[in-house]
């Protein structure tokens, strides 16, 4: 007897990502692939040696859920050296398998069905699916040509009693725009007296040009108290051994 099983995706119309489409096209056409950040150089040999050494030493078992204590301590020290505050190693640092997982996990932890989350267009492509997967609604603010910085009046007009979170991305993918200290002060004014959380995607914190400085939410005590700040080993250590 044939048993028919129908397992329906919650997102039947969701296709693949633009990265998959463009990278496949670049490979098919033999084109230079500028669409996805593949480093075109080998990782340092010391990295391969270290992975091998630690696996031989038996460190390939389950890690503690929040990340190895030594790694979390190193993150606390790095953030303190860069941005000032020394966050609590036990309760304020979590290691995930990449920034994409951190973003999804943060959204899943805080956004409830029916909640609104403000995102800035153009928006990195994992944000909206994460919001919709947990039953939230993405509300779109626009970053406009030529400088692609937030219009805080527009953001103010989008905040409602249902707003649960604002997702920031600076340095911004794909425009490269940066939030300034003045932007963060303006945002702090807007959010004072609300319970709105911030997810601050800072994965490109070390990719800066022309002497520009990164304004991390970590360094803004009022906003840090309501923020989840996301960094990425992939972005940071593919580009700079000194970080
Ligand atoms: C803005 C932004 N956030 C997050 C990520 C994901 O980082 P990870 O590779 O650590 O998952 C990317 C990757 O392209 C990105 O561009």
């Amino acid at each position: 007897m044939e048993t028919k099983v129908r397992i329906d995706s919650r997102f039947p119309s969701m296709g693949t990502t633009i990265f998959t489409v463009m990278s496949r096209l670049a490979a098919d056409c033999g084109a230079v692939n500028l669409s996805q950040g593949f480093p075109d150089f080998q990782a340092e040999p010391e990295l391969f040696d270290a992975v091998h050494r630690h696996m031989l030493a038996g460190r390939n078992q389950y890690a503690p859920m929040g990340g190895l204590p030594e790694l979390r301590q190193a993150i606390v020290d790095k953030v303190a050296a860069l941005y000032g505050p020394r966050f609590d190693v036990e309760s304020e640092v979590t290691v995930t398998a990449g920034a994409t997982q951190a973003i999804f996990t943060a959204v899943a932890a805080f956004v409830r069905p029916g909640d609104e989350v403000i995102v800035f267009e153009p928006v990195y492509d994992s944000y909206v699916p994460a919001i919709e997967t947990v039953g939230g609604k993405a509300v779109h603010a626009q970053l406009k040509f030529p400088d692609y910085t937030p219009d805080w009046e527009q953001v103010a007009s989008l905040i409602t009693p249902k707003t649960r979170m604002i997702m920031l991305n600076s340095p911004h993918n794909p425009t490269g725009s940066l939030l300034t200290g003045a932007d963060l002060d303006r945002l702090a004014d807007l959010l004072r007296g609300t319970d709105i959380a911030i997810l601050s995607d800072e994965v490109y914190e070390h990719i800066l040009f022309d002497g520009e400085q990164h304004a991390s939410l970590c360094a803004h005590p009022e906003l840090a108290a309501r923020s989840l700040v996301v960094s990425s080993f992939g972005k940071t250590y593919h580009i700079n051994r000194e970080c």
Side-chain angles (χ1 to χ4, degrees), residues 155-202:
V155 175
S157 74
L158 296 175
I159 293 176
T160 75
K162 289 187 176 172
T163 308
R164 172 74 59 185
M165 183 180 270
I166 297 187
M167 294 175 80
L168 303 176
N169 174 210
S170 175
H172 183 248
N173 178 10
T175 69
S177 68
L178 298 173
L179 292 175
T180 63
D183 285 312
L184 300 190
D185 288 342
R186 182 77 178 91
L187 180 60
D189 289 342
L190 280 183
L191 298 188
R192 210 164 289 133
T194 74
D195 291 327
I196 299 171
I198 299 171
L199 191 148
S200 181
D201 178 345
E202 302 182 13

Side-chain angles (χ1 to χ4, degrees), residues 13-24:
S13 58
M14 192 174 287
T16 184
T17 73
I18 189 66
F19 300 116
T20 311
V21 174
M22 297 306 290
S23 293
R24 192 178 295 149

Side-chain angles (χ1 to χ4, degrees), residues 98-100 103 124 169 173 201 203-204 232 235:
T100 307
I103 291 163
Y124 178 58
N169 174 210
N173 178 10
D201 178 345
V203 299
Y204 297 110
S232 165
K235 308 293 179 207

Side-chain angles (χ1 to χ4, degrees), residues 133-152:
T133 301
V134 299
K137 181 178 168 222
V139 175
H140 299 259
Q142 303 299 324
L143 299 174
K144 290 201 188 122
F145 179 82
D147 57 1
Y148 298 104
T149 54
D151 171 351
W152 295 113

